[in-house]
């Protein structure tokens, strides 16, 4: 391996996203915690991942599941202590796994001391200049809408009760509990430089940057072309965070911020990384985020958003490789995270309707068997692509989306802010099943913060561990082979194939995925080393037969 690949370990890494609230609960309060992650490190090591990305664990009123941060340099007491964090890093490192944490720089919680100081200090104070307050007697200062529905502006007066705050508003691109920072204020830059040093000193290997395309707003805050209530008016565009020409997303100024952060990381050596959550279009704009002196890589949301369509996926792969290649950044691959419908359910429909809004009990329900078959084939294919791959907790068990959560149990602010029209993201955040027959499927004995469906035991880790044909054992095998064969740092070339079947070669391994509902024969020589679904090799070892929604690696 070259020096660059050793330092820049993320270029080929498999990174497992831990959503701490739903991972494992050790003190039985129904909420996952850091000791729960520590306890399961052997499970993650055995799964074969190179790194963990842990979603926010900071003190927070949990109005947006921890993406509303009240203190950037401490741990939510529900989750544990800084000493637990230190133990987690130490033990993960001892098992050769790196730790990436989640930085939330676009906004804080209204309970952050800075926002509390700002409220107390009153209009036009330096404290208020850290956020975006505006005076506007005739309603909200502009037409911007919250990503979760409704206006992006809330009135200050109900929070302070003071007359002087009449006609004052504050900006929140997300929930009203998440006020946006003013990144034109140098104090905000200092806050985050100190944040990075604090966690780098404690051994963090990298940072996942929340809403990296946010932060910088066009001066004067001009109206956008969407207006408020993007969801309820049905203009919610195709992606979870639409960016095209929005005056608050993907502004050129964000790149100066990343350069500043990169320099802070460089103080700690070349092996610390930044990964961008940047929902930007077109892909050439996305490539700007991962130039040499900015972020290390970014999530490939075009890949995640691809429908079950061979031509579409092929195009995304080509485009991603071209755009990332042009700036020397590694390509990443991802199919699920805590903001989207799990791929085992997304693919469980024969139509191509966008399920971005989540799935609730009143929506058409996915076909669980079809969804799992396709998900397994898709992941098998993805894990053979060169570059880095992100997997989301529970997908290694084949977990579907929980699509039957009752209205009263919904926690995602999107549900309330859209008057219940949009189910939201709770269905992919349900606490994990560890033991098929234990209370709450082994998550912990306290009632879980989101309800688990009654079939959860079928996906429990202990049951799958004991079953050689389980999804869990398939993931383990795939990750082990991927490592042994060096596929993450491999090369890539398409092998000409049939309509509806994609075939590529990486380091002498031929990888094929059949998207259709028919059986297909593909000309390729070798032995099957990994199969999802139905795959058989002819007696001459020159013809692979793939069943519907199946995939295989041949060497
Ligand atoms: C990101 C997070 C999402 C959160 C939002 C606001 O998109 O992934 O979960 O709600 O930012 O912080
Ligand atoms: Ca707990």
């Amino acid at each position: 391996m070259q020096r660059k690949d050793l330092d820049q370990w993320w270029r080929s890494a498999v990174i497992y996203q831990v959503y701490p609230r739903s991972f494992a609960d050790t003190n039985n309060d129904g909420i996952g915690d850091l000791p729960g992650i520590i306890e399961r490190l052997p499970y993650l090591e055995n799964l074969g991942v190179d790194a963990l990305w842990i979603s926010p664990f900071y003190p927070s009123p949990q109005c947006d599941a921890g993406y509303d941060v009240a203190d950037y340099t401490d741990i939510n007491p529900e989750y544990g202590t800084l000493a637990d964090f230190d133990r987690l890093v130490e033990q993960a490192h001892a098992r050769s796994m790196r730790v990436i944490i989640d930085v939330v720089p676009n906004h804080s919680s209204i309970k952050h001391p800075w926002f509390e100081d700002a409220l107390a200090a009153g209009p036009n104070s330096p404290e208020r200049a850290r956020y975006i307050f505006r005076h506007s007697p005739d309603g909200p200062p502009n037409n911007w809408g919250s990503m979760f529905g409704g206006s992006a502006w809330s009135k200050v007066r109900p929070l302070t009760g003071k007359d002087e705050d009449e006609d004052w508003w504050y900006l929140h691109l997300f929930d009203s509990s998440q006020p946006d920072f003013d990144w034109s204020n140098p104090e905000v830059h200092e806050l985050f430089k100190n944040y990075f040093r604090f966690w780098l000193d404690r051994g963090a290997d990298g940072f996942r940057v929340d809403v990296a395309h946010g932060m910088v707003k066009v001066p004067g805050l001009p109206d956008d072309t969407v207006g408020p209530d993007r969801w309820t008016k049905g203009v919610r565009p195709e992606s979870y965070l639409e960016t095209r020409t929005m005056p608050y997303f993907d502004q050129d100024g964000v790149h100066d911020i990343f350069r500043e952060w990169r320099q802070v990381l460089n103080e700690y050596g070349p092996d610390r990384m930044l990964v961008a959550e940047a929902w930007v279009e077109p892909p050439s704009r996305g490539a700007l985020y991962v130039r040499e002196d900015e972020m290390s890589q970014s999530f490939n949301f075009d890949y995640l958003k691809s429908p079950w369509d061979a031509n579409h996926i092929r195009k995304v792969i080509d485009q991603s490789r071209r755009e990332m290649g042009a700036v020397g950044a590694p390509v990443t691959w991802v199919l699920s995270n805590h903001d989207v419908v799990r791929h085992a359910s997304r693919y469980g429909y024969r139509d191509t309707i966008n399920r971005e809004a989540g799935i609730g009990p009143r929506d058409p329900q996915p076909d669980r068997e079809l969804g799992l078959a396709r998900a397994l084939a898709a992941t098998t294919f993805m894990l053979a692509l060169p570059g880095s791959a992100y997997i989301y907790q529970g997908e290694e068990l084949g977990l579907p989306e929980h699509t039957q959560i009752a209205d009263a149990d919904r926690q995602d602010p999107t549900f309330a802010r859209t008057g219940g029209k949009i189910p939201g993201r709770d269905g992919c955040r349900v606490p994990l099943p560890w033991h098929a027959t234990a209370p709450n499927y082994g998550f912990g004995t306290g009632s879980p913060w989101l309800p688990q469906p009654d079939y959860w035991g079928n996906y429990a880790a202990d049951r799958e561990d004991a079953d050689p044909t389980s999804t869990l054992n398939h993931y383990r095998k795939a990750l082990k082979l991927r490592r042994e064969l060096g596929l993450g740092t491999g090369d890539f070339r398409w092998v000409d194939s049939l309509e509806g079947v994609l075939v590529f070669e990486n380091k002498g391994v031929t990888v094929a995925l059949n998207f259709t509902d028919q059986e297909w024969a593909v000309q390729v020589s070798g032995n099957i080393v990994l199969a999802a679904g139905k795959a058989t090799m002819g007696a001459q070892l020159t013809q692979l037969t793939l069943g519907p929604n199946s995939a295989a690696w041949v060497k």
Side-chain angles (χ1 to χ4, degrees), residues 143-150 224-244 246 248 281 354 356-357 418 421-422:
N143 76 342
W144 297 359
S146 152
M147 299 306 122
F148 297 154
D224 69 17
T225 52
V226 177
D229 287 329
R230 56 186 66 218
W231 284 108
T232 37
K233 282 188 192 148
V235 290
R236 175 79 174 193
E238 68 196 33
S239 92
Y240 159 62
L241 293 174
E242 175 63 22
T243 61
R244 250 169 292 170
M246 297 300 167
Y248 36 81
E281 283 170 4
N354 180 356
E356 199 100 29
T418 59
K421 289 208 177 81
I422 303 295

Side-chain angles (χ1 to χ4, degrees), residues 17 19 53 55-56 63-68 102-107 147-148 173-175 178 208-213 240-241 277 279 299 301 337-340 412-414 425 429:
Q17 179 186 359
Y19 194 71
W53 147 35
S55 283
C63 298
D64 183 24
Y67 283 93
D68 48 325
D102 209 315
V103 57
V104 188
N106 181 68
H107 44 263
M147 299 306 122
F148 297 154
L173 290 182
F174 294 87
D175 188 50
Q178 296 167 296
R208 176 264 187 192
V209 181
D210 191 61
V211 203
H213 55 306
Y240 159 62
L241 293 174
E277 186 215 18
W279 301 79
F299 296 118
F301 291 130
N337 66 33
H338 66 294
D339 290 327
V340 300
D412 182 350
T414 311
R425 302 163 292 175
R429 301 173 173 181

Side-chain angles (χ1 to χ4, degrees), residues 213-214 243 246 248-252 254-255 280-281 285 289:
H213 55 306
T243 61
M246 297 300 167
Y248 36 81
F249 282 149
D250 195 28
Q251 300 303 313
D252 290 336
V254 295
H255 299 290
V280 302
E281 283 170 4
R285 291 287 302 176
Y289 287 64

Side-chain angles (χ1 to χ4, degrees), residues 388-426:
S388 138
Y390 283 82
I391 58 186
Y392 174 49
Q393 72 176 36
E395 69 166 86
E396 78 279 16
L397 303 171
L399 284 188
E401 185 87 354
H402 184 1
T403 58
Q404 297 288 327
I405 298 178
D407 291 357
D409 292 325
R410 293 255 168 217
Q411 309 269 342
D412 182 350
T414 311
F415 182 74
R417 292 187 64 90
T418 59
K421 289 208 177 81
I422 303 295
R425 302 163 292 175
D426 296 313

Side-chain angles (χ1 to χ4, degrees), residues 193-235:
K193 282 201 263 182
N194 291 334
Y195 160 92
F196 283 112
R197 294 200 177 98
F198 179 88
W199 294 103
L200 287 163
D201 284 338
R202 299 194 99 91
D205 298 290
F207 302 86
R208 176 264 187 192
V209 181
D210 191 61
V211 203
H213 55 306
M215 297 188 276
V216 175
K217 279 86 185 174
V218 171
L221 313 182
D223 280 356
D224 69 17
T225 52
V226 177
D229 287 329
R230 56 186 66 218
W231 284 108
T232 37
K233 282 188 192 148
V235 290

Side-chain angles (χ1 to χ4, degrees), residues 128-148:
R128 287 214 178 165
R130 294 159 170 167
Y131 293 91
I132 303 179
F133 286 87
R134 288 290 180 278
H135 186 257
S136 174
D138 314 315
N142 67 20
N143 76 342
W144 297 359
S146 152
M147 299 306 122
F148 297 154

